[in-house]
Amino acid sequence: SRAMSQQELANKADLSKSEISSIIHGRRNINPLVALKLEMVLKISAEFWMNLQIKYDIDLVKKKYKKSLAKTKSTLVKRVA
């Protein structure tokens, strides 16, 4: 089982507890170094962690630009037709 406290994870990954907490709560991004540290501790690939970050970033942009993206999509549909 991987069950461990944030403090335990922070200690094993050589990160601060506040860094771990910020990542968990979406206030801090996972960068390649953090992804590699998580891979070493949790045995889950760095690519997995980076893909989660990319998905999270894309979801934030979709929410922020929902209206302008809808306009873009409608313009593209008209051009294709």
Side-chain angles (χ1 to χ4, degrees):
S1 168
R2 288 191 190 103
M4 67 179 79
S5 69
Q6 287 184 26
Q7 187 63 60
E8 230 181 322
L9 178 57
N11 292 344
K12 289 181 179 187
D14 192 30
L15 297 165
S16 71
K17 184 179 175 191
S18 67
E19 287 174 296
I20 296 296
S21 179
S22 292
I23 290 167
I24 289 169
H25 293 97
R27 295 186 302 266
R28 181 182 174 124
N29 289 342
I30 295 175
N31 62 42
L33 179 58
V34 170
L36 287 168
K37 288 180 176 190
L38 292 173
E39 177 182 74
M40 293 178 78
V41 173
L42 300 173
K43 308 299 184 224
I44 299 171
S45 76
E47 290 82 0
F48 172 83
W49 297 110
M50 293 306 303
N51 284 333
L52 279 181
Q53 182 63 56
I54 291 167
K55 182 175 177 357
Y56 179 75
D57 293 343
I58 289 171
D59 288 347
L60 287 179
V61 170
K62 281 180 179 178
K63 287 177 185 169
K64 183 175 181 179
Y65 296 101
K66 187 176 183 176
K67 289 181 183 176
S68 68
L69 289 171
K71 286 182 191 175
T72 302
K73 182 178 177 184
S74 125
T75 303
L76 287 173
V77 170
K78 288 177 187 172
R79 287 184 186 163
V80 173

